[in-house]
Amino acid sequence: QVIALLLVLKRQQPANGQPRTSLLIVPASLIANWKSEIQKFAPSLSVFFAHPSETPAESMTAVARHPDNTLRGHDLVITSYALLLRSPWLKEREWSLVVLDEAQAIKNPGARQTRAAKEIRARNRIALSGTPIENRLGDLWSLFDFICPGLLGSAATFKRFVQRLSQSEPVDYTPLRRLVKPYILRRMKT
């Protein structure tokens, strides 16, 4: 579905004539998988791999120095969470779309990786996760603070809201479900 969306974005010509480049951040172990899927389903997408496993050091240096020139004509940049921390140029430009794969990587709102992801400027944001809540409802808050900042309030406000819901008799999380449901596309394995 994300690859299909990227193809739609490629077809849409922006009013100002500037190309639209999207950013995909993944665990390094998934870069090859995304590369394979894009080659299979969307070979027309022009992809720059901002990762040393796919791109020579000279090209990585060139894009860091002049990202707008180097990325001209590319539809997508794929990088890893680790490189996000070491590549300030990723936060210096505005992206058409930013997608986080395995987005539970930003579940800890105080982590450097999470703060770096939330500093990325983009018109649209998507978080892909098989486990949006691993241990705490605060994980959900952190994901939503990335995709739709402010929807669930501040971390402290959200914590108080969840405490009120958990203290009700019987415990009822329906108001929270109702709030986040329009933003969640869930794939069922049946």
Side-chain angles (χ1 to χ4, degrees):
Q1 289 171 330
V2 168
I3 292 172
L5 175 60
L6 292 167
L7 287 170
V8 168
L9 291 174
K10 177 182 177 71
R11 279 197 308 256
Q12 294 176 341
Q13 179 62 23
N16 63 6
Q18 295 294 316
R20 295 182 186 196
T21 306
S22 296
L23 176 65
L24 172 62
I25 303 170
V26 303
S29 62
L30 294 182
I31 290 175
N33 183 55
W34 275 94
K35 181 179 183 179
S36 172
E37 294 294 303
I38 289 169
Q39 287 172 342
K40 182 176 179 181
F41 296 108
S44 66
L45 285 178
S46 175
V47 181
F48 180 84
F49 292 90
H51 196 271
S53 68
E54 297 287 335
T55 303
E58 311 82 59
S59 296
M60 293 287 290
T61 301
V63 76
R65 286 189 184 139
H66 305 287
D68 290 336
N69 292 339
T70 309
L71 297 177
R72 188 164 310 193
H74 285 88
D75 304 305
L76 178 65
V77 171
I78 298 179
T79 195
S80 68
Y81 286 99
L83 269 252
L84 173 62
L85 291 170
R86 299 192 310 256
S87 304
W89 64 270
L90 292 167
K91 296 180 281 186
E92 293 169 359
R93 68 186 327 266
E94 183 173 349
W95 303 91
S96 176
L97 169 69
V98 63
V99 178
L100 302 183
D101 191 5
E102 299 294 340
Q104 65 272 17
I106 66 161
K107 69 181 180 183
N108 179 350
R112 285 181 55 227
Q113 181 168 278
T114 302
R115 291 192 313 267
K118 291 178 181 182
E119 290 172 8
I120 296 171
R121 294 180 300 129
R123 291 184 205 115
N124 302 289
R125 297 166 177 244
I126 295 176
L128 302 174
S129 178
T131 54
I133 303 173
E134 287 187 308
N135 298 311
R136 305 171 294 121
L137 281 174
D139 299 353
L140 182 70
W141 177 85
S142 190
L143 290 178
F144 269 86
D145 191 49
F146 169 77
I147 60 172
C148 194
L151 179 72
L152 299 180
S154 68
T157 301
F158 181 72
K159 185 177 181 178
R160 286 191 302 272
F161 174 63
V162 168
Q163 282 176 339
R164 275 196 320 272
L165 296 177
S166 67
Q167 292 170 354
S168 62
E169 277 299 323
V171 174
D172 183 12
Y173 290 103
T174 303
L176 177 58
R177 281 190 202 97
R178 207 175 293 129
L179 187 59
V180 299
K181 187 176 181 175
Y183 300 92
I184 296 176
L185 176 62
R186 187 155 182 218
R187 178 177 60 122
M188 306 301 270
K189 294 181 180 181
T190 56

